[in-house]
């Protein structure tokens, strides 16, 4: 079994806090592999709110009474409110993976309602998404590391989760859309993780059992841009960060973001931003320029485009 969790002030006790509108108390994840069963039983519930996200497998919930059983499948979330009876189990045979977050505050009910999570909602379909997992993992990390302003960051991350939930539950559920959204989300995440490599769109589409034209058409519908333009935008955005915050030469930055040829990198950057990499660095005030020059930099030509 894999588990990872973080607790506010390192306290495992549930609590009610009315000092702020929304406060994250704890967050974690369970993934059963070998343990036969992981049960939870709280006949009097908790004093805070809880949302559970079933990322894979299934979970067995008993709402209101022990004899009631509801099987909740992957792609669904469950919400518990203060003092509600809680009984649920995960089984290793189901390979269940669940994320959870506990929260409190003086305006939680109204905040939940504003995001479409009405008082009568208990189980709601959100689909599976890597974005949900990223948010939960960020909250766990914030609680474990406690960096500056981490409590405020936790609130922002939880509101981010609420926004995604609202978008999903207000959208009609269509099986085809679920498959497409999941595939396009996986593609976007792959491009984000590997943008610096020589990604061949044809090879990626084939690896997912899709035709190139079908993949490009649906990726564009999902992101409002083509796969190549999506990768390009990530490269240029990261190049801007490096130009603003590092002393790497333009040639080095080009290689970091995926361009071995510094002349080609300069050409692409100018086409996208209307200014050369060195010009951009000078404009944002990253001085002195002399320390950034390399033989490749001095050879960079000027280009004009009619596109």
């Amino acid at each position: 079994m894999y588990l990872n969790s973080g607790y506010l002030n390192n306290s495992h006790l549930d609590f009610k806090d009315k000092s702020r509108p929304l406060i994250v108390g704890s967050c974690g994840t369970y993934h059963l592999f070998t343990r036969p069963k992981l049960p939870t039983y709280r006949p009097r519930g908790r004093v805070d709110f809880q949302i559970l996200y079933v990322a894979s497998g299934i979970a067995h919930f008993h709402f209101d009474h022990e004899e009631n059983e509801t099987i909740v499948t992957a792609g669904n979330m469950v919400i518990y409110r203060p003092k509600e009876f809680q009984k649920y189990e995960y089984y290793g045979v189901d390979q269940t993976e669940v994320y959870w977050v506990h929260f409190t505050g003086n305006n939680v009910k109204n905040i939940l309602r504003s995001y479409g999570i009405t008082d009568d909602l208990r189980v709601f379909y959100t689909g599976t998404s890597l974005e949900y997992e990223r948010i939960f993992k960020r909250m766990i990390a914030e609680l474990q590391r406690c960096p500056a302003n981490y409590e405020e960051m936790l609130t922002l991350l939880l509101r981010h989760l609420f926004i995604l939930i609202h978008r999903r539950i207000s959208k009609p559920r269509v099986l085809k859309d679920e498959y497409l959204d999941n595939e396009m989300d996986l593609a976007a995440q792959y491009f984000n993780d590997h943008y610096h490599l020589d990604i061949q769109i044809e090879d990626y589409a084939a690896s997912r059992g899709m035709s190139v034209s079908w993949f490009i058409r649906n990726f564009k519908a999902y992101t409002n841009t083509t796969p190549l333009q999506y990768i390009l935008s990530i490269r240029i955005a990261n190049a801007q960060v490096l130009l603003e915050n590092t002393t790497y030469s333009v040639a080095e930055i080009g290689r970091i973001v995926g361009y071995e040829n510094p002349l080609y990198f300069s050409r692409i950057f100018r086409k996208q931003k209307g200014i050369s990499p060195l010009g951009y660095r000078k404009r944002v005030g990253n001085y002195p320029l002399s320390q950034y020059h390399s033989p490749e930099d001095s050879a960079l030509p000027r280009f004009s485009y009619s596109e």
Side-chain angles (χ1 to χ4, degrees):
M1 182 178 78
Y2 172 81
L3 63 92
N4 192 18
S5 57
Y7 295 83
L8 189 65
N9 301 321
N10 291 318
S11 173
H12 289 233
L13 298 176
D14 57 323
F15 64 95
K16 180 169 61 175
D17 188 335
K18 299 291 187 179
S19 63
R20 284 172 285 161
L22 186 64
I23 301 166
V24 174
S26 58
C27 186
T29 180
Y30 298 112
H31 193 177
L32 268 65
F33 297 102
T34 55
R35 289 182 64 88
K37 181 180 180 180
L38 181 62
T40 296
Y41 182 60
R42 303 185 183 108
R44 297 183 180 180
R46 292 173 56 107
V47 299
D48 56 9
F49 291 77
Q50 179 183 18
I51 285 180
L52 303 101
Y53 163 57
V54 183
S56 62
I58 61 175
H60 300 255
F61 286 83
H62 304 260
F63 297 115
D64 300 322
H65 302 285
E66 291 189 38
E67 58 269 21
N68 295 338
E69 183 179 42
T70 300
I71 295 177
V72 178
T73 57
N76 283 280
M77 294 194 187
V78 174
I79 182 168
Y80 280 113
R81 295 165 179 85
K83 299 181 181 180
E84 286 187 345
F85 173 84
Q86 295 187 18
K87 184 176 187 294
Y88 48 91
E89 304 95 15
Y90 315 135
Y91 293 93
V93 67
D94 298 323
Q95 295 287 288
T96 307
E97 182 178 14
V98 175
Y99 292 84
W100 51 265
V101 58
H102 292 282
F103 51 98
T104 184
N106 60 34
N107 197 33
V108 175
K109 286 185 179 180
N110 289 327
I111 291 172
L112 290 172
R113 291 167 186 160
S114 71
Y115 292 110
I117 306 174
T118 55
D119 297 347
D120 60 338
L121 202 60
R122 177 170 277 166
V123 180
F124 47 98
Y125 183 80
T126 58
T128 56
S129 172
L130 293 174
E131 188 63 22
Y132 302 142
E133 297 182 27
R134 286 193 288 269
I135 293 172
F136 282 107
K137 289 174 180 177
R138 282 286 308 279
M139 287 193 285
I140 293 170
E142 291 289 322
L143 286 163
Q144 291 175 340
R145 300 168 189 169
C146 302
N149 308 112
Y150 75 98
E151 292 186 57
E152 182 180 0
M153 177 60 75
L154 286 166
T155 301
L156 293 174
L157 288 167
L158 184 55
R159 282 187 175 270
H160 186 185
L161 181 65
F162 290 161
I163 290 171
L164 295 181
I165 290 172
H166 189 206
R167 289 177 177 177
R168 188 58 183 176
I169 63 179
S170 61
K171 177 182 177 182
R173 183 176 175 182
V174 180
L175 187 59
K176 180 181 177 182
D177 288 346
E178 293 172 25
Y179 167 74
L180 285 177
D181 287 354
N182 185 58
E183 282 295 336
M184 297 309 111
D185 187 60
L186 287 172
Q189 182 59 43
Y190 179 85
F191 295 154
N192 272 284
D193 292 342
H194 301 88
Y195 72 89
H196 59 291
L197 303 178
D198 182 19
I199 299 175
Q200 298 297 317
I201 304 304
E202 296 84 355
D203 293 342
Y204 179 83
S207 73
R208 302 298 301 174
M210 312 171 192
S211 71
V212 178
S213 59
W214 187 92
F215 172 65
I216 293 175
R217 181 172 64 254
N218 285 283
F219 187 88
K220 187 173 183 180
Y222 184 76
T223 63
N224 295 315
T225 188
T226 65
L228 286 177
Q229 186 61 41
Y230 186 84
I231 295 168
L232 175 61
S233 66
I234 298 171
R235 288 179 169 182
I236 296 302
N238 283 291
Q240 287 178 261
V241 172
L242 293 171
L243 288 166
E244 294 172 16
N245 298 289
T246 75
T247 58
Y248 294 135
S249 70
V250 169
E252 289 172 318
I253 290 174
R255 284 192 290 270
I256 290 171
V257 301
Y259 297 103
E260 289 297 325
N261 187 328
L263 302 181
Y264 183 66
F265 167 58
S266 181
R267 177 183 177 184
I268 292 294
F269 190 95
R270 182 189 288 272
K271 184 175 182 180
Q272 295 297 312
K273 309 305 297 184
I275 190 172
S276 71
L278 280 177
Y280 179 83
R281 173 170 266 168
K282 182 177 180 181
R283 189 174 68 184
V284 298
N286 196 344
Y287 299 107
L289 285 179
S290 58
Q291 67 177 306
Y292 307 119
H293 283 282
S294 68
E296 295 94 335
D297 297 336
S298 61
L300 295 177
R302 294 183 179 274
F303 294 90
S304 60
Y305 298 95
S306 57
E307 294 96 328

